[in-house]
Amino acid sequence: MIGELINRAEQNHQLKREEIVQLLSLTEPDQLEALFCAADRVRVRFMGNQVHLRGIIEFSNYCCRNCFYCGLRKDNHHLTRYRLSEDEIISIARHAVGDLGYRTIVLQSGEDFRYTAKTLASIIKRIKELGEVAVTVSVGERSYAEYAIMREAGADRYLLKHETADPDLYRQLHPDLLYENRLRCLQWLRELGYQVGSGNMVGLPGQTLETLADDILLLKELDVEMAGISPFVPHSHTPLGTYPGGTVELTLKVLAVTRLLMPYTHLPATTALGSIHPRGRELALRCGANVIMPNVTPAAYRPLYEIYPNKICVNEEPDNCRGCLHSLITSLGREVATDPGHSPKFVQQDK
């Protein structure tokens, strides 16, 4: 019966909520292998054999929010804060694009309103002038007008994780945010023509398999171009610091089911997964993932962008990470993509 369910999902990319829960409940090694292999076959069929590298610049660790799981929360006074200047950001991007060959730059920060939409637009324009490069922005909730300014400046994508599809749990974890507004922001981004990224954490306190099924169904309903699925990693300087973290196995199951239901969506092998397991990113690439997001922030700043502790590669310079990732990808018989890696849906629209 499980084999038939996996086969049907592989063929028609549809599952009911209770069927998703059934797959997320799997524990038998043979059944897990069948699930992961099916997800990998869907990845090959729809997304090919290339792995896309997205270079992340973590340009500010200031944040006005107090999310219970995040080390950047404004009430974490143990953290040394920093902001990069516009020229510093452009210098980092120039090296990432010109020397390391990355074709996507991700501008990521805490929710730091010191960087206005006008400032971010200037940065986006300057990065776009570096060559054939896509720009993803991930700076949290902004107004429709601000999103429009960044889009007009040339931003191709926007990453705004919904974190959990359970409104009650969302409310508990985000004391100064509204679930309804998060969904509204995602709708605005769609209306403005962004390639939209969202995603969720796996293993949050109070989360259930039914909640995770709702996460996957929400991502499918939103029809996102990228879905970041990461394990919850507790941070000692947050209210959730003493709770157990998410597991590798459950994260991989959520990733695999998402790939079965969303064949054209970019799925990253997340840094968080690589941080809780030495082969985490490799395992994700075998379960449907086709993106890795290496950090191109200078090593001096990396330890300060501590959303969660014990993040991998925090003491490495971007050049070293580039070589390691190339070796990892080719060791799996995969290729490093040399194009910006736009969503297949957007590429088809352009033709």
Side-chain angles (χ1 to χ4, degrees), residues 73-81:
R73 65 196 311 266
K74 68 178 181 181
D75 282 354
N76 179 9
H77 302 298
H78 300 272
L79 186 64
T80 300
R81 305 287 178 167

Side-chain angles (χ1 to χ4, degrees), residues 178-208:
L178 294 174
Y179 178 74
E180 295 78 11
N181 195 58
R182 182 59 55 108
L183 296 185
R184 186 179 302 115
C185 286
L186 288 165
Q187 181 59 39
W188 286 344
L189 294 166
R190 174 66 68 215
E191 291 174 5
L192 288 165
Y194 282 93
Q195 295 175 50
V196 180
S198 194
N200 62 286
M201 282 184 285
V202 178
L204 286 165
Q207 190 179 63
T208 65

Side-chain angles (χ1 to χ4, degrees), residues 37 52 128 143 157 168 300 348:
C37 287
H52 297 275
K128 296 292 284 187
S143 68
R157 308 168 189 151
D168 292 331
Q348 290 166 4

